[in-house]
């Protein structure tokens, strides 16, 4: 940059080049030691033209800075209009993008659907994942599923409902075929454990660092703020402890309680029946396999799994299924245990853990990084967690685009 003392402005090399062209356009006498004889009238005429040209150049480029009367028209204009405007626009854009990315609780507009009635709530065939169609007049919300029939238009399989829930496992309706699940899954299918789950079993989780259902619910809501008003699945719902909390809160348009245990779903149904003024039309009980979720792809806004991830036979398959059914920006929240004691670095500990997982069918996480890697490999991003001893609450989301 150069300073032009006559006008007291800053001139860039580009503008100096323009001025040199202006000067060269006039036939001024060359520099010499003698004074040429030039008519006074012609010299004054050329000086007037030069003055007019310089005034137009200066006022055209620097008017917003040197003429206050023009500032009121567009006060955002500065001395060097092209450069200043470009830099300001880029910096503003960068700030807006950073603000959006660092505000995970910003609500996402979720289109609400009418619950109950004859709709299928986005349910899909667990065999081919194509949408199911209700072929009966019975609604499919809790307490009204008896006699409900849903059919897949692709594989033509029909799924029926009982008084308590819809049966949407792949083996539903089979008469001869029977399939046993791992020990951890079969344990929660027994009537005794299902009955005791909210009558002393779940309360013992406090010794593992679990803060309690009400506190866990409040913690989960902080992660779920971005998808409020949408559809949530309470995966491995058990006796429906969190299903009832989500439903009564009114934060979601539809709550789907999902579990593999028939007895757990019966307990969930009984607890709902005992509630006064409970909005049953917003809840659907579904029996399904966590590794083969009966939902259309990208049809669910949130999935919650309370104290369940360590009971899944294959967490990677389950989280991959959750990633499939979550829509863009959908949120996954889960609580589990982490066994990260002082001996986890020993080589034989991992082998022992693998053998125990094979026998019991349970998953034992040994670090937060392991859980983060599990979510990342299944297509989820934005992993976060909160710890309280062995207890951990994790959250991840589906990419928005």
């Amino acid at each position: 940059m150069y300073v032009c003392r006559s006008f007291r402005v800053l001139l860039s090399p580009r503008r100096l080049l323009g001025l040199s062209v202006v000067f060269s356009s006039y036939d001024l006498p060359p520099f010499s030691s003698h004074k040429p004889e030039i008519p006074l009238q012609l010299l004054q005429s050329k000086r007037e033209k030069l003055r007019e040209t310089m005034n137009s150049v200066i006022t055209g480029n620097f008017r917003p800075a040197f003429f206050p009367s023009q500032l009121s028209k567009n006060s955002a204009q500065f001395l060097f209009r092209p450069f200043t405007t470009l830099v300001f626009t880029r910096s503003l854009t960068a700030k807006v993008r950073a603000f959006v990315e660092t505000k995970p609780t910003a609500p996402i507009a979720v289109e609400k659907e009418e619950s109950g009635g004859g709709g299928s709530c986005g349910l899909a065939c667990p065999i081919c994942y194509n949408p199911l169609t209700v072929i009966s007049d019975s609604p499919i919300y809790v307490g009204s599923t008896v006699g409900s029939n849903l059919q897949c238009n692709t594989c033509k399989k029909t799924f029926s409902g009982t008084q308590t829930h819809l049966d949407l496992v792949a083996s539903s309706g089979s008469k001869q075929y029977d399939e046993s699940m791992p020990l951890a899954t079969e344990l929660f299918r027994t009537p005794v454990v299902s009955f005791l789950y909210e009558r002393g079993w779940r309360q013992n989780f406090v010794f593992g660092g679990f803060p309690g259902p009400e506190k866990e619910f409040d913690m989960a809501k902080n992660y779920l703020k971005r998808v409020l008003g949408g559809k949530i699945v309470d995966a491995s719902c058990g006796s429906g402890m969190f299903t009832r909390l989500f439903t009564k809160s009114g934060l979601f348009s539809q709550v789907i309680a999902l579990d593999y245990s028939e007895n757990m779903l019966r307990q969930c149904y009984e607890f709902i029946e005992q509630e006064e003024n409970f909005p049953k039309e917003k809840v659907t009980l579904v029996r399904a396999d966590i590794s083969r979720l009966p939902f259309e792809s990208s049809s669910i806004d949130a999935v919650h799994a309370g104290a369940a991830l360590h009971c899944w036979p294959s967490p990677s398959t389950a989280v991959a299924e959750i990633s499939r059914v979550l829509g863009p920006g959908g949120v996954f929240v889960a609580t589990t245990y982490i066994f990260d004691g002082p001996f986890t670095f020993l080589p034989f500990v991992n082998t022992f853990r693998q053998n125990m997982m094979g026998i019991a069918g349970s998953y034992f996480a040994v670090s937060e990084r392991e859980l983060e890697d599990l979510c990342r490999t299944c297509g989820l991003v934005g992993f976060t967690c909160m710890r309280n001893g062995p207890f951990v609450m994790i959250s991840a989301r589906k990419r928005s685009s």
Side-chain angles (χ1 to χ4, degrees), residues 79-118:
L79 179 61
F80 301 105
R81 195 181 324 170
F83 301 99
T84 306
T85 304
L86 181 60
V87 174
F88 177 77
T89 304
R90 286 181 179 177
S91 61
L92 179 62
T93 305
K95 290 182 180 179
V96 171
R97 289 178 180 173
F99 176 77
V100 173
E101 290 296 326
T102 57
K103 191 174 178 62
T105 59
I108 293 178
V110 178
E111 184 178 353
K112 296 184 179 180
E113 299 179 358
E114 293 295 331
S115 58

Side-chain angles (χ1 to χ4, degrees), residues 76-373:
Q77 299 282 346
F78 293 95
L79 179 61
F80 301 105
R81 195 181 324 170
F83 301 99
T84 306
T85 304
L86 181 60
V87 174
F88 177 77
T89 304
R90 286 181 179 177
S91 61
L92 179 62
T93 305
K95 290 182 180 179
V96 171
R97 289 178 180 173
F99 176 77
V100 173
E101 290 296 326
T102 57
K103 191 174 178 62
T105 59
I108 293 178
V110 178
E111 184 178 353
K112 296 184 179 180
E113 299 179 358
E114 293 295 331
S115 58
S120 62
C121 298
L123 297 175
C125 174
I127 299 174
C128 61
Y129 293 139
N130 285 312
L132 293 175
T133 303
V134 179
I135 58 176
S136 63
D137 295 332
S138 301
I140 59 175
Y141 56 79
V142 63
S144 303
T145 53
V146 59
S148 299
N149 292 314
L150 295 89
Q151 186 179 60
C152 176
N153 294 328
T154 303
C155 61
K156 303 302 180 182
K157 181 170 181 175
T158 301
F159 300 89
S160 301
T162 65
Q163 182 181 2
T164 58
H165 62 272
L166 296 171
D167 196 350
L168 297 181
V169 295
S171 59
S172 175
S174 59
K175 298 179 179 179
Q176 301 295 327
Y177 176 76
D178 190 16
E179 186 177 41
S180 61
M181 299 294 286
L183 179 61
T185 304
E186 292 294 333
L187 179 65
F188 290 98
R189 294 184 67 186
T190 61
V192 175
V193 175
S194 300
F195 179 82
L196 295 176
Y197 189 75
E198 283 194 48
R199 298 175 174 91
W201 184 292
R202 186 56 164 79
Q203 287 76 359
N204 290 324
F205 285 18
V206 66
F207 298 107
F210 279 71
E214 296 290 343
K215 179 61 177 178
E216 294 169 40
F217 175 69
D218 291 336
M219 294 167 62
K221 284 193 301 184
N222 293 328
Y223 290 119
L224 297 171
K225 285 181 179 179
R226 58 187 299 124
V227 290
L228 296 182
K231 186 188 304 179
I232 186 171
V233 173
D234 188 17
S236 298
C237 65
S239 58
M241 185 181 303
F242 291 98
T243 299
R244 301 194 299 274
L245 292 174
F246 281 124
T247 306
K248 290 187 294 186
S249 68
L251 298 176
F252 295 91
S253 61
Q254 183 71 19
V255 180
I256 301 175
L258 182 144
D259 204 285
Y260 189 80
S261 171
E262 307 93 324
N263 287 303
M264 281 291 189
L265 291 172
R266 292 190 185 101
Q267 288 295 321
C268 181
Y269 171 78
E270 291 180 6
F271 281 121
I272 289 176
E273 287 292 318
Q274 296 172 7
E275 295 273 354
E276 295 183 1
N277 301 321
F278 190 86
K280 298 180 181 179
E281 69 279 0
K282 291 185 175 294
V283 186
T284 302
L285 304 187
V286 176
R287 179 177 179 246
D289 189 348
I290 190 65
S291 63
R292 201 149 186 91
L293 295 175
F295 306 111
E296 300 177 58
S297 298
S298 303
S299 63
I300 303 298
D301 301 298
V303 175
H304 170 265
L309 194 149
H310 52 272
C311 297
W312 294 342
S314 176
S316 60
T317 304
V319 177
E321 271 292 273
I322 291 171
S323 179
R324 178 185 67 82
V325 302
L326 283 177
V331 180
F332 170 53
V333 180
T335 56
T336 186
Y337 291 103
I338 287 185
F339 298 95
D340 53 355
F343 302 104
T344 54
F345 65 91
L346 297 177
F348 68 86
V349 173
N350 190 47
T351 303
F352 175 77
R353 180 178 67 126
Q354 295 291 339
N355 293 333
M356 290 300 298
M357 289 169 56
I359 297 173
S362 298
Y363 168 74
F364 305 104
V366 295
S367 68
E368 298 174 12
R369 290 185 177 181
E370 185 177 354
L371 294 173
E372 181 179 7
D373 194 44

